[in-house]
Amino acid sequence: MDANEEKFLRMTTQPVGGLVCRLAVPCIVSMMITALYNLADTFFVGRMHSNSATGAIGVAFSLMAIIQAVGFFFGHGSGNFISRELGGHRRDQAEEMAATGFLLSFAGGCLLTLLGLLFLEPLVRLLGSTETILPYAKSYVRIILLGAPWMTASLTLNNQLRFQGSAVYGMVGITAGAVLNIGLDPLLIFTCGMGVSGAAVATIVSQFAGFCLLLLGCRRGGNLPIRLSRFRLTRRYLSLIVQGGLPSLGRQTLNSVGAIVLNHAAGAYGDAAIAAMTVVNRAMMMANSAMIGFGQGFQPVCGFNYGAGLWHRVRRGFAFCVKASSGFLLLLSVLGFAFAPQIVALFRNDPEVIAFGSLALRLQCVTFVSLGWITLSNMLLQAIGRTGPATFLAVARQGIFLIPLLLILPGQFQALGVQMAQPIADLLTLCCAVPLQLRELRRLREESPLPETP
């Protein structure tokens, strides 16, 4: 039995719960390590004892979200199709999509670099920089833009690998890059005296190292190799990428817009408020990364089994993931609520930052458990090609609800409005996600092409 057939049998016959967990472990590690890229910069820049420097990392977070939006768009757009094609034993088309998604993602990163450098100062101001943060933000963003092509391509490769059920190869590339980043940050920031610019250089160098390892991983373990000769710029493939990647593009783009609006809203209360929300967002991003990684372990199982007509396994996997993730998120919420001041102080030990950030973190912990159902519903809908509902859920939390709340609540509640906007947005998104997903689960049961088995 060759590696491809062995992978197909594993994905479609092994018990769903154990299979999801095995696939989720490298995904969780990859997502948390990805979060560490920004966490490391926030941690070490915070040691410069400057709220403006720490605020610059928060401003640049919006740009990182744009870069991630491009990478996830092509990665999820091509990856969802790849998993369904492999589940249907159509490897040739899967190889063509892998090459097409990769090259388009790299080109998208090049376009970001060109436009960003041409309009650097207007871009940084748009991202939410104040006058005091501006010099730090320009230094950081200018260098990050140079690494955009391989950063977008790395995210695409990582997602393509996990949709093939080979997330461990993606984990190796991401982890190696993160370890390098953590080592380079203090060396370049303090030893070499580069300050905020050193943090940016550390990020793009480590991302490039991860990119090279991800390319190597595509040639091992029965994975789809990236061959430039397989590139096919056809209307069909572009349409499929848009269908599969639109929810991710919407989510990541609105993450960026939401971060920009948050920076402007918090900026009314000074650099300490921006620094505090930067720290809170990084801490929540780290916790949410574990949740997303767990869901990413479910997505290839979902795609393979949906493509093979085993819809009962899709439903069973969703039920297992919701139960497991809700318990995990509840535990994190309790810990985050109890130790909020200590968590904020770990990154920026300033009384104003701790006071503002602790309340914001505790409020977010109150509704954090809702992300289990929201995230997994979005991932299932995206994996089976339900573009409309998946896109709505993807943009609801950070766009449809959060952005208007950030524009309205501070006028009524001042700083408290900034701090409680996210948890209210989470509750409103949950109210939409529950009926949408229940309807889809009923459809999977009623229209299943194969009879359900125990």
Side-chain angles (χ1 to χ4, degrees):
M1 184 185 300
D2 64 17
N4 300 324
E5 185 63 23
E6 183 180 351
K7 180 184 292 185
F8 174 83
L9 290 175
R10 182 174 71 250
M11 298 291 286
T12 56
T13 62
Q14 289 189 1
V16 173
L19 181 61
V20 168
C21 289
R22 283 192 293 276
L23 292 174
V25 169
C27 291
I28 291 171
V29 172
S30 294
M31 286 302 301
M32 295 188 73
I33 290 299
T34 300
L36 276 175
Y37 278 115
N38 282 329
L39 267 179
D41 287 353
T42 304
F43 178 82
F44 288 111
V45 170
R47 294 303 180 270
M48 293 173 61
H49 304 295
S50 168
N51 287 339
S52 297
T54 303
I57 305 300
V59 168
F61 174 74
S62 304
L63 173 65
M64 298 294 285
I66 294 171
I67 292 172
Q68 289 174 0
V70 175
F72 279 118
F73 172 70
F74 290 107
H76 286 177
S78 59
N80 280 297
F81 176 78
I82 285 169
S83 68
R84 294 196 298 270
E85 294 304 286
L86 292 177
H89 290 286
R90 296 178 291 272
R91 186 174 176 87
D92 284 346
Q93 293 187 59
E95 280 195 18
E96 290 177 355
M97 179 59 88
T100 303
F102 168 76
L103 285 175
L104 289 176
S105 179
F106 192 88
C110 291
L111 182 61
L112 286 178
T113 299
L114 177 62
L115 294 176
L117 292 177
L118 283 175
F119 303 101
L120 181 62
E121 184 163 333
L123 172 64
V124 171
R125 291 185 182 277
L126 177 65
L127 295 177
S129 176
T130 64
E131 288 298 327
T132 49
I133 288 174
L134 184 65
Y136 297 99
K138 286 175 63 177
S139 298
Y140 189 87
V141 167
R142 180 184 291 111
I143 296 169
I144 289 295
L145 282 167
L146 296 175
W150 59 82
M151 291 166 74
T152 56
S154 293
L155 290 166
T156 297
L157 289 174
N158 186 36
N159 280 285
Q160 287 182 352
L161 285 167
R162 73 175 180 82
F163 273 106
Q164 296 172 59
S166 299
V168 66
Y169 290 95
M171 179 191 71
V172 170
I174 296 294
T175 302
V179 171
L180 181 60
N181 189 32
I182 294 170
L184 286 176
D185 259 338
L187 176 66
L188 297 179
I189 293 171
F190 302 113
T191 305
C192 296
M194 296 177 66
V196 170
S197 297
V201 171
T203 296
I204 66 168
V205 169
S206 59
Q207 290 272 6
F208 182 74
F211 167 71
C212 294
L213 289 173
L214 287 166
L215 274 177
L216 289 175
C218 292
R219 295 187 170 275
R220 299 178 179 273
N223 295 318
L224 300 173
I226 301 297
R227 297 190 178 100
L228 302 187
S229 61
R230 304 290 282 175
F231 176 75
R232 300 289 185 273
L233 191 61
T234 66
R235 179 178 296 181
R236 176 172 180 258
Y237 282 165
L238 287 174
S239 175
L240 287 165
I241 287 174
V242 170
Q243 290 175 26
L246 189 60
S248 296
L249 180 65
R251 178 175 57 249
Q252 293 297 132
T253 300
L254 286 173
N255 280 349
S256 177
V257 175
I260 292 170
V261 176
L262 176 61
N263 286 333
H264 283 287
Y269 305 98
D271 288 357
I274 295 180
M277 295 310 297
T278 296
V279 170
V280 171
N281 282 342
R282 292 300 190 278
M284 297 306 293
M285 180 180 65
M286 189 70 179
N288 194 32
S289 293
M291 171 64 237
I292 293 174
F294 185 69
Q296 287 179 346
F298 166 63
Q299 272 191 308
V301 177
C302 180
F304 264 83
N305 286 280
Y306 189 82
L310 303 173
W311 293 4
H312 61 283
R313 285 174 59 84
V314 174
R315 293 175 59 248
R316 193 178 302 159
F318 177 79
F320 168 79
C321 289
V322 166
K323 292 175 185 175
S325 63
S326 296
F328 172 73
L329 292 174
L330 181 61
L331 175 62
L332 287 185
S333 298
V334 171
L335 293 174
F337 193 94
F339 298 103
Q342 291 85 350
I343 292 172
V344 175
L346 180 65
F347 297 95
R348 184 72 186 99
N349 194 10
D350 177 272
E352 286 185 80
V353 173
I354 293 172
F356 197 99
S358 296
L359 178 57
L361 182 56
R362 281 177 168 152
L363 289 173
Q364 291 196 33
C365 285
V366 172
T367 61
F368 193 51
V369 71
S370 66
L371 292 191
W373 183 279
I374 293 169
T375 302
L376 290 163
S377 297
N378 180 239
M379 288 184 168
L380 184 147
L381 292 167
Q382 189 173 359
I384 66 176
R386 300 281 287 167
T387 306
T391 302
F392 172 77
L393 281 187
V395 303
R397 180 173 180 257
Q398 298 298 107
I400 295 174
F401 296 124
L402 178 62
I403 293 173
L405 287 169
L406 282 170
L407 296 174
I408 295 169
L409 292 179
Q412 302 296 318
F413 302 98
Q414 287 75 50
L416 180 61
V418 176
Q419 295 162 317
M420 67 182 183
Q422 186 66 73
I424 294 176
D426 291 346
L427 286 178
L428 293 173
T429 306
L430 180 65
C431 291
C432 297
V434 169
L436 272 176
Q437 185 64 2
L438 289 178
R439 183 176 64 182
E440 191 61 34
L441 292 173
R442 282 195 298 269
R443 186 188 72 83
L444 288 175
R445 182 179 65 249
E446 295 166 359
E447 300 179 13
S448 178
L450 295 174
E452 296 213 6
T453 57

